[in-house]
Amino acid sequence: METRAGDPGAFARFDLHRVDSPAFVVDAAKLRANLRVLADVGERSGAKVLGALKAFSMWSTAPIVGEYLDGVCTSGLWEARLASEFYDGEIATYCAAYKAEDLPEILRLSDHVIFNSPQQVERFQPRIATARAQGQIFDIGLRINPLHPEGEVPRYDPCAPHSRLGFPIDQLTDEHMTMIDGIHMHTLCEQDFAPLARTWDKAFDYLEPWFGEFKWINLGGGHHITRADYQREELIGFLSDLAEDTGAEVYIEPGEAVALDAGILVGTILDLGWNGMPLGITDVSATCHMPDVIEAPYRPAMLGELPPDPEAVDEGEGGAIRLGGPSCLAGDVIGDYRLPESSEPGMRFAFLDQAHYSMVKTTTFNGVPLPSIWLWDSESDSLECIRRFAYEDFRDRLG
Ligand SMILES: Cc1ncc(COP(=O)(O)O)c(C=O)c1O
């Protein structure tokens, strides 16, 4: 997968020795800039914008998020708790399948509770009725699957054949619609406006008979709205037309767009070697700190990296050094890089665009330490260590 982000922004002038290694560093100024773009889309289109906690839930930045967005969307009980403890605004919760014991608290904490199938809504009707009888106020939504794949990678495409995510739109009936207040769909991943428009074209014909009957429609995430070349004017026009056509309040819930290019992962080269090409072992692990590098897979951009040198292919891949993590996993390889300076143990480097879907996915496999978390403000140059992790964090997850 080609990542379409990786703009160093103000990190180009950040001294990597100001933080521990490894460390995530988030730039509050860049976060605010992204949030301003999202708030502008919301204000001018009339749509509500929720930040997806699954992508970026560094809750020390919750007050900044709350200044700009209408709320957050969560993926189950623990994120809903985090949202109610730290974040402002509305909470929309969607989970592919709820556990009966979790549902009462989810209903209490969330404004929208979105189910993956009408069967779940039906099965949990008694709990929903009890919560309402206790005076709790929430809407029930249904995630639909518009059966229109637009994804580059099937693993990241909720509309891929036989996907479990969302109720197939061609199975929707009047009876299903009477059970719900709103419709949800999430079908995109790092995409432009055109795939959203094509998806809605497909969904329109199925949903039109019920226009005026559902209170809201939530178009999920995957909109790369804060990327410089995203078609924001088209999106704004589309969202306001959608509200007019359907008579529903429109929501979007971007995750990645909130934190795009707002964070780096700083690491250190620990050792160098040669096995048919130059090798470097680092204290940053793909499998423990950036699992999407292996899962997607993708190659994270590096701060200041040089372009491949076609003259140097004998020395390896374009004169590059292959960097990998300290774990025992043979596949713990990050990628091949031409480093900005000659490599030697102790040298610092940073991978770009690591605020989203990395910090939320770290593990301590092999006892590899977790990166500490820092908040920098590139406007004021203030730098704060938010959290350091210790041996006990590793130990206490194992029991
Ligand atoms: C239901 C739902 N909403 C929102 C998002 C956020 O998507 P993104 O971070 O790509 O904007 C996701 C991501 O998987 C999702 O599954």
Side-chain angles (χ1 to χ4, degrees):
M1 217 173 146
E2 267 299 308
T3 167
R4 295 172 72 189
D7 179 351
F11 287 113
R13 57 181 166 79
F14 182 75
D15 175 2
L16 303 181
H17 291 274
R18 291 174 74 186
V19 295
D20 304 328
S21 179
F24 288 107
V25 185
V26 168
D27 178 4
K30 176 62 180 164
L31 186 60
R32 267 188 248 110
N34 285 342
L35 290 164
R36 266 196 294 272
V37 169
L38 294 171
D40 178 62
V41 166
E43 268 158 37
R44 290 201 286 137
S45 67
K48 286 197 170 166
V49 184
L50 309 178
L53 291 189
K54 72 187 75 187
F56 179 68
S57 42
M58 180 178 165
W59 45 267
S60 53
T61 65
I64 306 178
V65 174
E67 267 179 58
Y68 297 92
L69 301 191
D70 297 289
V72 292
C73 74
T74 78
S75 318
L77 180 58
W78 286 4
E79 279 190 359
R81 274 191 198 164
L82 194 74
S84 82
E85 198 173 337
F86 296 108
Y87 287 82
D88 297 324
E90 294 183 30
I91 300 176
T93 301
Y94 158 78
C95 184
Y98 294 102
K99 288 183 127 176
E101 60 268 35
D102 292 349
L103 202 60
E105 190 175 346
I106 289 172
L107 294 171
R108 184 167 56 75
L109 298 177
S110 312
D111 299 283
H112 293 179
V113 181
I114 299 156
F115 289 82
N116 195 54
S117 69
Q119 298 88 312
Q120 280 192 69
V121 183
E122 210 163 10
R123 194 170 335 119
F124 288 125
Q125 216 39 256
R127 283 174 198 267
I128 293 170
T130 305
R132 286 194 165 135
Q134 288 166 350
Q136 288 162 33
I137 296 168
F138 51 82
D139 279 356
I140 295 296
L142 176 67
R143 175 170 175 173
I144 55 156
N145 180 338
L147 304 173
H148 177 77
E150 282 280 354
E152 201 187 311
V153 182
R155 197 183 298 127
Y156 287 106
D157 190 340
C159 293
H162 316 303
S163 168
R164 74 189 189 293
L165 301 174
F167 186 64
I169 197 167
D170 59 357
Q171 296 176 32
L172 265 182
T173 64
D174 285 332
E175 199 192 338
H176 298 141
M177 296 301 288
T178 59
M179 300 183 331
I180 58 171
D181 304 293
I183 298 269
H184 180 281
M185 61 176 105
H186 167 79
T187 62
L188 306 178
C189 179
E190 294 193 348
Q191 269 155 317
D192 284 334
F193 169 68
L196 172 63
R198 288 194 291 268
T199 305
W200 177 244
D201 275 353
K202 172 85 188 281
F204 184 99
D205 294 338
Y206 286 103
L207 295 179
E208 197 182 8
W210 297 295
F211 283 3
E213 290 179 30
F214 46 91
K215 271 167 69 179
W216 46 263
I217 179 158
N218 182 328
L219 300 174
H223 323 287
H224 232 196
I225 301 170
T226 49
R227 212 187 58 232
D229 58 351
Y230 183 89
Q231 308 73 25
R232 288 188 281 273
E233 295 307 316
E234 280 99 320
L235 177 70
I236 290 167
F238 167 84
L239 295 173
S240 55
D241 290 350
L242 184 66
E244 208 173 301
D245 291 347
T246 59
E249 178 146 48
V250 179
Y251 285 76
I252 52 172
E253 42 184 43
E256 179 162 335
V258 171
L260 196 71
D261 283 329
I264 57 173
L265 176 54
V266 175
T268 300
I269 292 191
L270 303 178
D271 197 18
L272 296 170
W274 176 276
N275 186 358
M277 71 175 291
L279 303 173
I281 298 180
T282 77
D283 61 356
V284 167
S285 159
T287 191
C288 299
H289 306 149
M290 303 184 288
D292 281 359
V293 166
I294 298 171
E295 212 178 282
Y298 82 103
R299 176 190 176 279
M302 178 186 273
L303 185 64
E305 68 176 302
L306 305 173
D309 177 359
E311 307 274 298
V313 273
D314 290 349
E315 308 259 316
E317 300 297 318
I321 180 169
R322 179 159 299 173
L323 297 181
S327 80
C328 67
L329 177 74
D332 190 358
V333 171
I334 302 165
D336 297 346
Y337 296 88
R338 282 191 68 219
L339 302 176
E341 47 189 288
S342 66
S343 46
E344 54 185 59
M347 182 197 147
R348 291 274 172 114
F349 59 84
F351 292 112
L352 298 173
D353 198 28
Q354 292 304 315
H356 57 83
Y357 292 116
S358 288
M359 211 190 292
V360 289
K361 283 192 164 189
T362 53
T363 73
T364 53
F365 171 58
N366 266 228
V368 172
L370 293 165
S372 54
I373 296 174
W374 297 68
L375 187 63
W376 178 51
D377 190 321
S378 58
E379 273 164 18
S380 64
D381 200 34
S382 69
L383 179 67
E384 184 189 354
C385 180
I386 302 294
R387 175 112 203 242
R388 282 196 173 95
F389 299 92
Y391 160 69
E392 289 73 19
D393 295 294
F394 161 65
R395 181 193 67 192
D396 294 348
R397 287 171 62 189
L398 296 171

